[in-house]
Amino acid sequence: MSTPTPSAYPVDRDALRVLAHPLRSRLLAELRTVGEATASDLARALDTNTGATSYHLRRLEAVALVRDTGRGTGRRRVWEAATADRAIDVDQADDDDDAAVDWLARDYVQHFAGKTQAWLTAQSEWPLAWQDTCGLEDHLVLVTDEQLDVLQSEIAAVLERYRRVGAGNPSARRVTFYTCALPVDPPRPPASGRRTGA
């Protein structure tokens, strides 16, 4: 029986404050990008020790950001992210919450940079077809805010369609698509509603 696709989190304030920690944020990011893992797997990936990963996984579990898959044996628990997407939404955020969200966003940029550096180091070990299609690229578009929202939804739909498309194919490999829409032009001042001139 397949595990249902996790949903995007809004997180509550307790979860946000638990997540705003260097190792916990990386544990969740690692589970989201590489899939199920044990505390030992995560300790190796993040260059730390199993005691630390086990402790912080339990903290994340307590606020429903990760969960035990039930597929481990004995004390060897297999963990997975309880969230598919990274969008964070906290109702009635205060200044501390805003600071935590800002810290998480900046930490995630560092996570992305590390993953990208790792690919640049390892890419020569991959077949040329993978080298040609993986890595960084950018695309310039000209959109309104409403059109950008539609574009993001369309990209999300395409990625969802491909989430399990390679299942059962031994040549399939997991691929993470990082998306980041960044404005190029400066923001426009809000319209005042008043007309000037003759």
Side-chain angles (χ1 to χ4, degrees):
M1 182 175 176
S2 62
T3 302
T5 300
S7 59
Y9 53 108
V11 299
D12 63 25
R13 299 171 81 176
D14 290 338
L16 176 64
R17 289 169 182 176
V18 167
L19 186 57
H21 177 281
L23 184 52
R24 291 174 206 150
S25 66
R26 295 303 169 90
L27 286 168
L28 181 57
E30 193 73 10
L31 288 171
R32 286 193 52 256
T33 55
V34 305
E36 298 175 3
T38 66
S40 297
D41 296 331
L42 293 163
R44 282 190 297 273
L46 300 176
D47 194 25
T48 186
N49 63 76
T50 304
T53 55
S54 294
Y55 170 76
H56 290 294
L57 284 164
R58 291 193 299 272
R59 292 293 307 275
L60 292 168
E61 181 185 33
V63 291
L65 290 175
V66 304
R67 60 188 168 217
D68 185 341
T69 65
R71 288 189 282 276
T73 56
R75 298 181 64 185
R76 187 177 181 275
R77 301 173 74 181
V78 178
W79 298 91
E80 66 182 357
T83 60
D85 301 309
R86 198 181 165 275
I88 296 174
D89 179 22
V90 180
D91 290 337
Q92 300 178 335
D94 60 20
D95 289 345
D96 288 341
D97 297 330
D98 290 341
V101 170
D102 183 70
W103 182 89
L104 283 166
R106 294 176 188 279
D107 182 68
Y108 198 72
V109 171
Q110 296 300 316
H111 169 80
F112 167 70
K115 291 292 185 182
T116 306
Q117 294 283 1
W119 162 250
L120 293 174
T121 300
Q123 64 181 335
S124 62
E125 302 170 12
W126 285 76
L128 287 176
W130 286 87
Q131 292 184 47
D132 289 344
T133 52
C134 290
L136 297 170
E137 57 182 40
D138 53 73
H139 303 273
L140 182 65
V141 296
L142 181 64
V143 291
T144 66
D145 54 350
E146 293 91 351
Q147 291 164 342
L148 179 58
D149 187 56
V150 171
L151 174 58
Q152 294 278 34
S153 297
E154 290 175 352
I155 291 170
V158 170
L159 294 175
E160 181 59 34
R161 194 166 73 242
Y162 278 85
R163 193 180 293 275
R164 301 281 184 266
V165 75
N169 187 331
S171 66
R173 295 293 180 268
R174 292 173 297 177
V175 174
T176 297
F177 275 81
Y178 292 88
T179 62
C180 184
L182 299 174
V184 176
D185 300 319
R188 294 188 178 186
S192 65
R194 296 172 57 187
R195 305 181 72 176
T196 59

